[in-house]
């Protein structure tokens, strides 16, 4: 069987099961956004948060379609988002570069200018790394170490029945930006001049916003810290693979199910319009698009308003209350405006096949 | 200018200069084998050591020429060697894999079996990582966190005039193993049946040993810990790019020069014979071959014998005293058995062009 046939998440489970269980200093190992490592000091001490994520040419980016500075920023941002999702403070980064020999040095310095800028914004220090040649396909692998007071770390596994489900910012814009750049199949622009895409004209202002969300993701570091420090949140994850997929990880880890109300999803009208035109499903980008890098979190119902307001006041970022955590076995899924409940696959979210509404 | 024209070490300097200097918690940043990060506790506290190193298909290994288990072991071993070179204890690893979709799952589980084995030998826990697709060219990027008592960390920058220079184990065997596999030009086996390589017959026992050193490097973790704990060593680096290159890093960082005695180099007679036959220089593999993963360190002359003996007693590994640290401006280089001194380039080691001896 090949890696492509098995799929990413099944492969992660296979590999995790090959390894021995973590020792006492590994508070959280493989399977969360970050590893949580005991930094000493007991229950009142601090923990280290460790994560890594890579940008691969031809898979995560096209060399001619992204400015190297944006690439550098993004490579760090996606890791910052993982530390943010635990409520942590990012501290130290290592950069592992795989570079073709014929790459222009200016491209590499451009990447580093982006790294420097993003690192500076969040107080991160780039403390080392590695340079390697590659035959083909530049890659930029980032390792990020963060820290947090042990009591403030928020994992994906703590959601409880009755909790509200909240999300920062808006959903689906980055995926719309990708679709506008290379189409849904990753091969051509939607507006390629050859017609037939079925896409409506997209307002220029929204197209720009979507491109910005695609190329310059904004990690919700300060939002994550406010959520962690509040000690009100029960679970948190960053939305990098689409709300449906990442909410699926959260509810599976927590042993619960979720019911989301479509009408409460923070999705731009232009985004819904483009999604409907391209896929027939107005929620497609919001639920299945990737790279939002918003924070999805849960908290007891009486804390939801307070917490949302605290994040807004501290960071200016809007927080939407989008649904409820239910006991395992309850009917979860996406509650559509007409009152129907779109499917939620057994054990987690798969995809939504319910009837479409206007 | 391209990356290939500028070269690895010049590019590292360019990138380092783009970044702001490290803050007070970064005890050592870019430029040593590991980053040294303050873990709290002041002078008597512990520090974190962070490093990363990647194995890229077609650059560091050929998929059909190495068992996946050896690849997994090696990917961790080269990082263990970096932590060892600071005298540290390796603790936690993250694994970032770039996999082509058509790769067999068994290849990946093979890599993890090797990782598990090597991690188990040295008490390392694999606590997370990342899976990504690649269009072409598997890569296996490892990030390793170690720790050490702050007072026991050995850097590459502390060598002082008068110090002796010591090295563990033997040099050049892995490079001989590479040459026996793919030739000096990386294209064909030395003994390809087509003659003309000029190589003498290599005893089967030595060919096996060389292949083992190539495919299963042995990180000198316990040796590094003994050297660090002794607090006798003034500088240390691991020999991964050949003795000449890595000694060059050590002396440049320390602001000194080195004089090595060829007759004291721990090199197998078979290795010298093969090097002479293939390159005309019997010291070629020992000085310029890569992937030895031995530890090269310095200490005051009165401590050299004690320290070498302490390592041998604790680990069984032989330590050779191979030369002396001299003041900057002194005539350094390789002292050949006939009394001539082979060139040492300005500011560091380049390559040795002195007369060859029998």
């Amino acid at each position: 069987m090949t890696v492509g046939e098995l799929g990413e998440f099944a492969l992660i489970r296979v590999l995790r099961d090959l390894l021995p269980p973590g020792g006492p200093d590994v508070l959280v190992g493989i399977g969360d956004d970050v590893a949580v490592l005991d930094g000493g000091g007991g229950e009142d001490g601090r923990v280290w948060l460790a994560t890594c994520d890579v940008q691969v040419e031809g898979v995560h980016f096209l060399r001619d379609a992204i400015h190297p500075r944006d690439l550098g920023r993004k490579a760090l941002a996606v890791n910052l988002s993982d530390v943010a999702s635990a409520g942590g403070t990012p501290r130290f980064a290592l950069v592992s570069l795989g570079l073709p020999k014929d790459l222009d040095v200016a491209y590499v310095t451009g990447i580093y200018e982006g790294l420097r800028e993003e690192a500076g914004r969040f107080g991160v220090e780039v403390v080392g790394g590695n340079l390697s040649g590659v035959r083909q396909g530049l890659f930029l692998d980032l390792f990020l170490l963060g820290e947090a007071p042990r009591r403030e770390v928020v994992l994906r596994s703590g959601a409880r029945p009755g909790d509200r489900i909240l999300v920062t910012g808006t959903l689906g814009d980055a995926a719309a930006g990708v679709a506008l750049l290379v189409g849904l199949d990753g091969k051509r622009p939607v507006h390629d001049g050859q017609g037939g895409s079925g896409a409506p004209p997209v307002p220029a202002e929204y197209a720009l916003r979507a491109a910005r969300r695609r190329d310059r993701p904004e990690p919700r570091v300060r939002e994550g810290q406010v959520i962690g420090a509040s000690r009100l949140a029960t679970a948190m994850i960053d939305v990098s693979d689409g709300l449906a997929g990442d909410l699926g990880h959260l509810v599976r880890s927590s042993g619960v199910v979720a019911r989301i109300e479509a009408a409460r999803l923070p999705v731009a009208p232009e985004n819904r319009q483009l999604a409907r035109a391209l896929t027939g499903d107005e929620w497609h980008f919001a639920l299945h698009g990737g790279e939002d890098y918003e924070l999805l979190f849960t908290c007891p119902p009486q804390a939801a308003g307070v917490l949302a307001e605290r994040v807004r006041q501290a960071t200016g970022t809007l927080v939407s209350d989008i649904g409820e955590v239910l006991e395992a076995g309850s009917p979860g899924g996406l509650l559509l405006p007409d009152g129907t409940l779109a499917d939620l696959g057994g054990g987690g979210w798969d995809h939504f096949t319910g009837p479409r509404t206007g």
Side-chain angles (χ1 to χ4, degrees), chain A:
Chain A
M1 181 184 286
T2 69
V3 165
E5 287 159 3
L6 182 59
E8 178 187 350
F9 297 107
L11 182 55
I12 289 176
R13 285 192 294 274
V14 167
L15 298 179
R16 188 185 54 198
D17 292 347
L18 276 176
L19 296 171
D25 286 347
V26 181
L27 305 177
V28 178
I30 295 170
D32 210 295
D33 293 289
V34 293
V36 183
L37 309 171
D38 195 348
E43 288 297 322
D44 291 319
R46 298 182 79 77
V47 293
W48 288 97
L49 310 170
T51 187
C52 61
D53 208 343
V54 69
Q55 301 291 313
V56 179
E57 182 177 0
V59 177
H60 301 93
F61 69 94
L62 303 172
R63 206 194 297 179
D64 297 330
I66 188 168
H67 192 285
R69 195 176 292 196
D70 283 339
L71 178 59
R73 265 191 291 247
K74 184 172 180 174
L76 183 52
V78 303
N79 282 285
L80 290 168
S81 183
D82 280 326
V83 168
S85 77
T89 299
R91 294 293 312 277
F92 305 111
L94 278 82
V95 183
S96 178
L97 283 169
L99 305 174
K101 276 186 190 165
D102 61 358
L103 185 70
D104 204 284
V105 168
Y107 198 91
V108 189
T109 55
I111 290 174
Y112 263 70
E113 284 162 11
L115 281 173
R116 180 182 60 192
E117 187 182 312
E118 192 78 358
R121 289 180 61 206
F122 294 102
V124 170
E125 302 191 73
V126 177
V127 296
N130 189 64
L131 289 182
S132 169
V134 295
R135 293 288 179 94
Q136 210 178 326
L138 190 162
F139 70 78
L140 171 54
D141 205 1
L142 264 279
F143 295 102
L144 185 63
L145 266 181
E147 60 174 354
R150 182 161 173 172
R151 292 185 190 280
E152 294 182 9
V153 172
V154 190
L155 303 178
R156 51 171 76 173
S157 53
R160 293 171 301 206
D163 282 352
R164 298 301 303 175
I165 301 170
L166 295 88
V167 70
T168 59
T170 61
L171 297 169
D173 297 319
V178 171
L180 289 169
L181 181 68
V182 294
L184 281 177
D185 59 0
K187 287 185 181 158
R188 54 168 181 70
V190 170
H191 296 292
D192 61 355
Q194 295 168 27
S197 74
V202 176
E205 195 197 339
Y206 181 73
L208 270 174
R209 200 195 324 163
R212 195 178 168 83
R213 288 294 298 266
R214 175 194 69 214
D215 292 336
R216 303 190 58 171
E218 189 59 36
R220 301 300 195 181
V221 175
R222 296 195 180 88
E223 292 80 355
Q225 288 168 337
V226 172
I227 295 164
S230 76
R231 296 176 61 178
L232 294 170
T234 51
M236 184 152 58
I237 191 170
D238 70 323
V239 184
S240 56
D241 296 329
L243 181 74
D246 290 312
L247 180 56
H249 296 312
L250 187 147
V251 297
R252 269 196 302 278
S253 298
S254 299
V256 296
V257 300
R259 187 187 291 164
I260 297 298
E261 294 177 53
R264 290 171 168 265
L265 288 175
V267 190
E270 299 92 334
N271 186 281
R272 289 165 57 181
Q273 235 180 331
L274 183 67
R276 186 163 48 222
L278 290 175
T279 72
D281 176 5
E282 65 187 320
W283 310 109
H284 181 83
F285 291 139
L287 295 173
H288 307 294
E291 308 218 304
D292 289 316
Y293 301 110
E294 298 291 356
L295 294 178
L296 178 72
F297 56 106
T298 59
C299 68
Q302 63 277 15
V306 174
L307 188 47
E309 182 56 19
R310 206 176 287 183
V311 171
R312 196 196 58 76
Q313 282 197 355
T315 67
T317 300
L318 288 178
V319 172
S320 304
D321 179 331
I322 61 173
E324 187 179 5
V325 177
L326 306 174
E327 278 185 25
S330 307
L334 181 70
L335 189 65
L336 295 167
D338 68 359
T340 59
L341 196 61
D343 276 358
L344 171 64
W349 296 74
D350 276 303
H351 55 276
F352 296 89
T353 54
R356 227 136 274 118
T357 62

